[in-house]
Amino acid sequence: MRCESSQAADPPARRLADLLHRIGYEVVPVRNAEREVLEHVPATVPLTVTVTEARGIDTTLELTERLTRHGYAVAPHLPARQFIDKEHVADVVARLREARVRSVFVIGGDAPRPAGAFADAYALLRAMEEAHHPFEEIGVAGYPEGHPAISREALDLSLKQKAPMATHVITQICFDAGTTANWAAGLARAGVDLPIHVGMPGPVNRQKLMRISANIGLGPSARFLRKQRSLLWRFLLPGGHDPTKLARRLGAAASKTGGNLRGLHIFTFGELRQTELWRRRLLSSIDPERAGPSFQ
């Protein structure tokens, strides 16, 4: 008698496979980023491109345009605090429309002071609607562990305000799958029914993280690590980070959220080859028929 596949026998594995098939990679716009994407990332994997204070929003838009021409689905980060005024918003919307970009990720941004009229993502979203944006997908940020500078009440109110103008939530990193699942379930109970893509770091070593930090500027990276409360101490340990255990725990926890955990958003920190290798190897172990070709 033939045994059932492990996928059919193991619902958490099946849920994990679903998360891995709905995965996106975050790309830092540093030197060679375009080449690394083209060499190592299939065009079927959606990408986001971050904005750094050191390089500014134009660098992000330029990389977004180039990768879009290569056939990737690319969502640039649009940080509200780097926009000057409504004319600036309209110009960026027009530029992305011209490039046929269909997705964006709208955030407040970590700049200590706004460059202009927009202090938060909600204000930028409203300005984008006034500019008649063409975007079919709009991601907004979620914080399962909270934010060190913003109260939980303010975060909850902000997400409720942004939800009608968004299509999905991308979370900041949280290493506790239970915390993420409880937060997601709470959103559903509060009437926020957006699909959630869980932010988590890919396989990255400490040395590579420090090089990326140097490239984007110490101040912004330090603020990022402070905001990611559970991330800092892990990258101070020797060796690297293996995301497999957290991914498996998220697969197991997905059933407790009412179905709103829909995918994974990988903070690659420039390790695109290693991230894609990790994804394919994990998929091969739980869903070999859909894992795709392997490479070394």
Side-chain angles (χ1 to χ4, degrees):
M1 181 176 178
R2 187 176 178 179
C3 293
E4 293 182 351
S5 69
S6 60
Q7 180 186 358
D10 186 0
R14 187 167 62 248
R15 288 190 292 268
L16 174 56
D18 289 341
L19 293 177
L20 289 167
H21 284 296
R22 293 190 290 265
I23 199 169
Y25 296 164
E26 186 166 290
V27 177
V28 181
V30 294
R31 186 168 59 89
N32 297 329
E34 180 181 3
R35 187 190 70 190
E36 291 289 308
V37 169
L38 295 178
E39 289 182 357
H40 304 305
V41 182
T44 53
V45 175
L47 306 172
T48 64
V49 181
T50 65
V51 174
T52 72
E53 288 179 53
R55 295 171 182 264
I57 192 170
D58 281 342
T59 299
T60 294
L61 298 179
E62 289 165 6
L63 181 56
T64 296
E65 290 163 340
R66 294 198 302 272
L67 291 175
T68 299
R69 287 196 293 269
H70 287 300
Y72 289 87
V74 189
H77 286 213
L78 299 182
R81 288 174 168 245
Q82 289 198 29
F83 282 83
I84 305 300
D85 51 28
K86 291 184 178 181
E87 183 178 358
H88 188 191
V89 175
D91 287 344
V92 170
V93 167
R95 179 173 176 176
L96 293 175
R97 180 187 285 111
E98 177 74 17
R100 300 193 177 187
V101 171
R102 295 289 177 256
S103 180
V104 294
F105 181 40
V106 179
I107 55 175
D110 288 336
R113 291 178 297 278
F118 308 103
D120 54 38
Y122 177 59
L124 179 57
L125 286 165
R126 294 179 64 187
M128 287 167 49
E129 289 206 330
E130 291 179 16
H132 306 291
H133 72 76
F135 308 122
E136 298 166 3
E137 297 184 5
I138 297 178
V140 293
Y143 299 88
E145 286 190 312
H147 189 292
I150 306 173
S151 71
R152 171 57 69 187
E153 291 75 15
L155 288 173
D156 291 345
L157 175 60
S158 174
L159 194 49
K160 286 183 178 180
Q161 290 175 325
K162 293 181 292 187
M165 294 179 280
T167 61
H168 60 280
V169 176
I170 296 176
T171 76
Q172 293 290 348
I173 292 167
C174 175
F175 285 97
D176 188 320
T179 296
T180 298
N182 289 337
W183 173 83
L187 279 189
R189 289 193 299 271
V192 178
D193 60 355
L194 297 177
I196 296 168
H197 296 254
V198 181
M200 56 181 288
V204 60
N205 62 53
R206 180 177 57 173
Q207 291 76 17
K208 184 62 174 281
L209 179 66
M210 293 303 104
R211 287 201 302 273
I212 292 290
S213 297
N215 283 335
I216 66 176
L218 180 60
S221 62
R223 285 197 296 276
F224 173 83
L225 291 172
R226 282 199 301 271
K227 185 167 60 177
Q228 305 287 354
R229 295 177 180 180
S230 54
L231 179 63
L232 178 58
W233 69 268
R234 291 174 182 262
F235 285 117
L236 294 178
L237 297 175
H241 168 67
D242 183 351
T244 302
K245 183 181 294 186
L246 176 57
R248 290 188 180 278
R249 288 175 175 170
L250 286 167
S255 64
K256 304 174 184 177
T257 69
N260 59 353
L261 288 190
R262 300 285 181 82
L264 300 177
H265 176 82
I266 306 298
F267 293 77
T268 66
F269 299 105
E271 290 281 11
L272 290 165
R273 181 179 186 277
Q274 291 303 317
T275 299
E276 179 60 13
L277 278 171
W278 167 79
R279 181 185 74 93
R280 293 191 189 186
R281 288 169 179 159
L282 185 53
L283 265 176
S284 293
S285 72
I286 58 177
D287 193 5
E289 292 184 0
R290 298 169 63 198
S294 62
F295 64 90
Q296 300 300 321

